[in-house]
Amino acid sequence: MTETTKLRKFIVSTFSLNGFTIQERACAYLVQQLEPLESKEDCDQWLDKIVDYMRVSSTNDENIVTYELLSKALKFCCNLQILNDEDILHVTPAYKLPRYRYCPTTKKFQRIKSEISMFGDAQSKISQYVDRYTVIRQRMARIKTTTDGTLNQPLTIGDKIRDVDYLLSSGACRKFDLSSKSNSILLLGILVQLKEGGRHYLEDPTGAIPLDISATDFQKGYFTENCCVLAEGRYCSDRRVFFVTNMALPPCERSEISKIYFGESNNFSENNDLNLKSCNPKLLEYEKSKNRMIVFVSDVFLDDPKVLRKFHTLLSSFNDLAPVAIVMMGDFLSCHIPSHAYAQQLKTHLTQLGHFLHDNTPILCKYTMFVLLSGPGDRYSGAAGASILPRPLIPEFLTEEFRRLVPRCVFTTNPCRMQYCTQQIHIIRTDGLMKKTANYDIRHGLTDRKKSTTVTESDDDIIKNYIKTLESQSHLITVPLDVCPTYWPLASHSLSLYPMPDVVCIADSNAPEYSTAGSNDSNSCGSKISSSSGCIFFNPSSFSKNKYTFSVYITAQRQIEDSNLPDDEYDANSTLMDSEDAVGNRRKVN
């Protein structure tokens, strides 16, 4: 048997073992390309790269390796040695994110390829909650409990969960005894109010059941309507009410574990090539060797002269050591601008900012990516759509001059996703979301919703409970739709936190400044809160309203540095850089 024949059989068997069938023309072409390789190890490495590409290729639906697909795969594998700007930093708007749905039958996440519209039907409203429930339910199947099962094997929470329709069967119709702790039932469902009167129901895909939470022991976190919870208690068949003794939020899961079960699909971009390149060792090497920065600034009032001077100082000071990106989040104009003049004023001030960057910060314009997303007070699209998430990007006719002056810029939706090398970052700009989540906890009651929760809870406690709620729900919005409206077809995937990203930026001007990342600077401001999922949550606060505060994310160290500019007279010679190697230190104006 010749070496060519052996190589051909090896190629066919390799693809077959991975579930692919290679066509004759493609096999002959691949043999021709791999024959010059001297060692078998090199041949194995190239075949592994090609197979990895086939697995995530959206064009390979029938698992058939054609000549055209193989040529594309070889070209992609050759380009892995070259890093371009899109590989290092990539921003994806909400409407371009891929959609996945968990299938309980196959126990896999399946890609949804149907067209999507911002204005969905009633089924899309239901689907967003069903998708959220199924994601949490499959997550519970992996979290072990202390109770031993058969053959001393530990049970999972998923093994103990019962569906709502189980309560209507004979298995749950035992003698009711609220004080008894034996034979308690564990349910997983979404808190809803199906009827007027204040009674809450627990709903899952099999049905809904009324709850009695008068004697419930609530665990940490916020329990709002439309929130998925674990409820433990006893069912009274006579009254058809589930008496809850304990209620808790579902435990979160670290992203390393979630990604194993999520598979090799890319949930950050429709471009599957970017997903493969994110695993490129060269990207990881670049990420560790280059100690780059990403600057987050929120509420930049371009029509306020004092705020604009401070922002110019910030930009000029970073010109010597250009960050990889500067994320500018709205509002871009103060609230006193009338609605009919808002669009023209926004265009004028963005153009003026573009001229300043072009004339005074040439290094930033050359090496830094400017990412701009609107805030809740930006009324360029009218007041009606200002509070609905995801918010569309700023129209092109308002930004065309800024794009011409600053070519390295991206106008994106709110929220959006950013990928720097191998790190995934979620960004959302909203106001009052933390306070709404705390105030709409079902324990407060209807009459106490408008009362401030800070009377009984400190800022640190509110932040801890808020982050715990987001981690458990794997979603950015946990309040009812009438409190924070969303576009139903886009809400399920654009606001999802599954698998958990590396960094989540929640820019909330009404919330205190905080960060879950550790800091080497003992003088840094803001609350240091822990995160059980390993994800970094932080709030850069408001640049215009909170003493010119901004946040710097140190990519190699994965740390957040919260800084602010002193409220003094503008000094043209001031700088934010204490030295050329000031990366990772706090930035101050001299």
Side-chain angles (χ1 to χ4, degrees):
M1 184 180 296
T2 63
E3 294 296 329
T4 302
T5 305
K6 291 181 180 179
L7 180 58
R8 181 186 294 272
K9 288 188 175 182
F10 178 69
I11 291 173
V12 173
S13 62
T14 300
F15 279 99
S16 298
L17 290 173
N18 288 276
F20 297 101
T21 301
I22 185 170
Q23 292 183 348
E24 179 63 28
R25 182 187 177 193
C27 184
Y29 177 69
L30 186 56
V31 169
Q32 182 182 356
Q33 298 298 321
L34 296 182
E35 269 187 330
L37 298 179
E38 297 180 356
S39 62
K40 187 177 182 297
E41 289 76 13
D42 293 340
C43 183
D44 291 339
Q45 290 180 2
W46 274 97
L47 281 177
D48 290 340
K49 292 178 182 179
I50 296 172
V51 169
D52 289 339
Y53 180 87
M54 299 299 174
R55 285 174 177 170
V56 299
S57 176
S58 59
T59 60
N60 191 24
D61 297 331
E62 300 179 357
N63 293 336
I64 298 177
V65 181
T66 62
Y67 173 80
E68 292 77 13
L69 185 59
L70 180 63
S71 301
K72 186 178 179 181
L74 286 172
K75 183 178 180 181
F76 171 81
C77 294
C78 293
N79 292 336
L80 283 177
Q81 308 301 319
I82 304 174
L83 296 181
N84 53 44
D85 292 340
E86 189 179 17
D87 300 334
I88 297 173
L89 183 69
H90 180 72
V91 180
T92 307
Y95 58 86
K96 286 189 176 181
L97 292 171
R99 295 180 295 156
Y100 291 91
R101 180 167 295 160
Y102 181 77
C103 179
T105 305
T106 61
K107 296 183 179 181
K108 292 182 179 181
F109 284 88
Q110 298 176 350
R111 177 78 177 270
I112 304 174
K113 297 183 179 181
S114 59
E115 294 185 0
I116 189 171
S117 172
M118 292 180 64
F119 306 100
D121 53 11
Q123 184 60 39
S124 62
K125 181 181 180 180
I126 300 172
S127 297
Q128 63 175 321
Y129 295 112
V130 174
D131 292 344
R132 196 186 307 183
Y133 172 85
T134 53
V135 166
I136 296 177
R137 181 65 184 264
Q138 62 90 25
R139 201 176 70 201
M140 295 301 98
R142 296 189 291 272
I143 300 179
K144 301 291 190 291
T145 63
T146 57
T147 305
D148 289 340
T150 308
L151 301 177
N152 294 326
Q153 294 295 322
L155 293 173
T156 64
I157 296 179
D159 296 329
K160 301 176 66 176
I161 292 175
R162 296 290 181 262
D163 295 331
V164 169
D165 61 356
Y166 170 79
L167 300 182
L168 305 178
S169 65
S170 59
C173 294
R174 302 184 181 95
K175 183 179 179 180
F176 176 72
D177 183 8
L178 185 60
S179 61
S180 175
K181 294 183 179 180
S182 61
N183 299 324
S184 62
I185 300 173
L186 182 64
L187 300 178
L188 176 69
I190 296 177
L191 289 173
V192 294
Q193 282 194 27
L194 300 181
K195 300 178 181 179
E196 296 182 0
R199 178 177 288 277
H200 289 88
Y201 289 71
L202 192 71
E203 185 176 18
D204 69 4
T206 66
I209 189 168
L211 302 178
D212 188 318
I213 56 175
S214 57
T216 302
D217 182 16
F218 290 91
Q219 305 301 316
K220 293 182 180 180
Y222 291 124
F223 301 86
T224 61
E225 293 180 32
N226 299 347
C227 184
C228 196
V229 299
L230 286 168
E232 184 179 15
R234 299 296 301 279
Y235 176 61
C236 179
S237 58
D238 297 335
R239 299 170 57 183
R240 293 186 178 275
V241 175
F242 187 72
F243 286 79
V244 183
T245 57
N246 290 282
M247 184 175 290
L249 296 173
C252 64
E253 185 178 64
R254 298 186 70 89
S255 61
E256 297 85 359
I257 301 175
S258 299
K259 289 178 180 179
I260 295 175
Y261 295 91
F262 190 79
E264 300 171 339
S265 302
N266 178 20
N267 68 323
F268 253 66
S269 174
E270 289 184 336
N271 189 349
N272 288 293
D273 291 355
L274 291 175
N275 184 44
L276 275 175
K277 288 186 177 181
S278 64
C279 305
N280 187 1
K282 283 188 171 294
L283 271 181
L284 187 60
E285 180 183 353
Y286 178 89
E287 179 184 318
K288 292 182 177 180
S289 62
K290 303 290 185 180
N291 204 6
R292 305 296 299 276
M293 302 176 294
I294 301 178
V295 182
F296 294 87
V297 188
S298 176
D299 270 351
V300 184
F301 292 163
L302 301 178
D303 61 324
D304 190 326
K306 188 174 181 180
V307 173
L308 191 58
R309 287 200 304 268
K310 290 294 182 180
F311 189 58
H312 287 173
T313 302
L314 175 68
L315 295 173
S316 300
S317 301
F318 277 112
N319 188 52
D320 295 332
L321 187 59
V324 64
I326 295 179
V327 181
M328 296 172 53
M329 294 168 278
D331 304 338
F332 293 113
L333 297 180
S334 56
C335 59
H336 69 268
I337 301 293
S339 297
H340 69 273
Y342 198 93
Q344 185 59 41
Q345 288 289 328
L346 179 60
K347 180 178 181 180
T348 301
H349 289 290
L350 283 176
T351 302
Q352 292 174 356
L353 178 62
H355 281 288
F356 174 83
L357 291 170
H358 183 268
D359 298 336
N360 299 278
T361 58
I363 298 180
L364 283 181
C365 293
K366 185 176 181 181
Y367 297 106
T368 300
M369 178 70 72
F370 289 87
V371 181
L372 294 90
L373 58 151
S374 61
D378 288 322
R379 305 184 300 276
Y380 55 83
S381 59
S387 59
I388 305 178
L389 294 175
R391 293 208 65 197
L393 50 86
I394 301 176
E396 187 175 351
F397 77 93
L398 299 179
T399 62
E400 54 185 358
E401 187 64 17
F402 184 90
R403 296 172 188 267
R404 185 186 66 83
L405 296 168
V406 186
R408 288 179 57 83
C409 70
V410 175
F411 287 85
T412 185
T413 59
N414 175 23
C416 68
R417 298 185 187 182
M418 177 190 297
Q419 183 157 342
Y420 170 76
C421 292
T422 63
Q423 300 181 33
Q424 298 177 342
I425 304 172
H426 280 225
I427 305 171
I428 184 172
R429 171 69 180 93
T430 183
D431 278 343
L433 188 57
M434 179 187 294
K435 289 185 178 180
K436 291 176 182 177
T437 305
N439 290 340
Y440 278 81
D441 191 297
I442 62 174
R443 290 170 288 182
H444 292 305
L446 295 175
T447 58
D448 296 330
R449 279 184 175 178
K450 295 184 179 180
K451 294 184 179 180
S452 174
T453 59
T454 56
V455 176
T456 57
E457 287 183 296
S458 64
D459 286 345
D460 285 358
D461 291 335
I462 295 176
I463 295 170
K464 290 178 182 178
N465 288 328
Y466 177 64
I467 292 177
K468 180 178 178 61
T469 304
L470 297 183
E471 290 177 327
S472 70
Q473 301 302 302
S474 297
H475 205 269
L476 288 170
I477 307 297
T478 61
V479 293
L481 289 178
D482 59 334
V483 180
C484 184
T486 61
Y487 292 105
W488 302 338
L490 297 174
S492 179
H493 60 285
S494 64
L495 298 170
S496 174
L497 293 178
Y498 187 86
M500 192 66 69
D502 298 283
V503 182
V504 176
C505 172
I506 306 175
D508 191 339
S509 62
N510 295 334
E513 185 181 348
Y514 63 86
S515 170
T516 61
S519 176
N520 295 328
D521 188 357
S522 60
N523 297 323
S524 60
C525 55
S527 305
K528 294 299 178 287
I529 312 296
S530 61
S531 171
S532 56
S533 65
C535 175
I536 299 176
F537 290 84
F538 76 97
N539 176 23
S541 192
S542 174
F543 185 81
S544 301
K545 302 175 184 177
N546 190 16
K547 299 179 181 179
Y548 313 109
T549 303
F550 62 97
S551 296
V552 179
Y553 175 57
I554 314 298
T555 58
Q557 303 173 10
R558 302 203 176 194
Q559 292 184 354
I560 298 293
E561 298 293 336
D562 300 321
S563 307
N564 65 287
L565 306 183
D567 189 9
D568 55 5
E569 294 299 326
Y570 174 70
D571 182 5
N573 296 322
S574 61
T575 177
L576 294 177
M577 300 301 169
D578 297 327
S579 62
E580 292 183 357
D581 56 348
V583 179
N585 299 327
R586 295 188 62 197
R587 274 74 185 168
K588 298 180 180 179
V589 172
N590 295 332

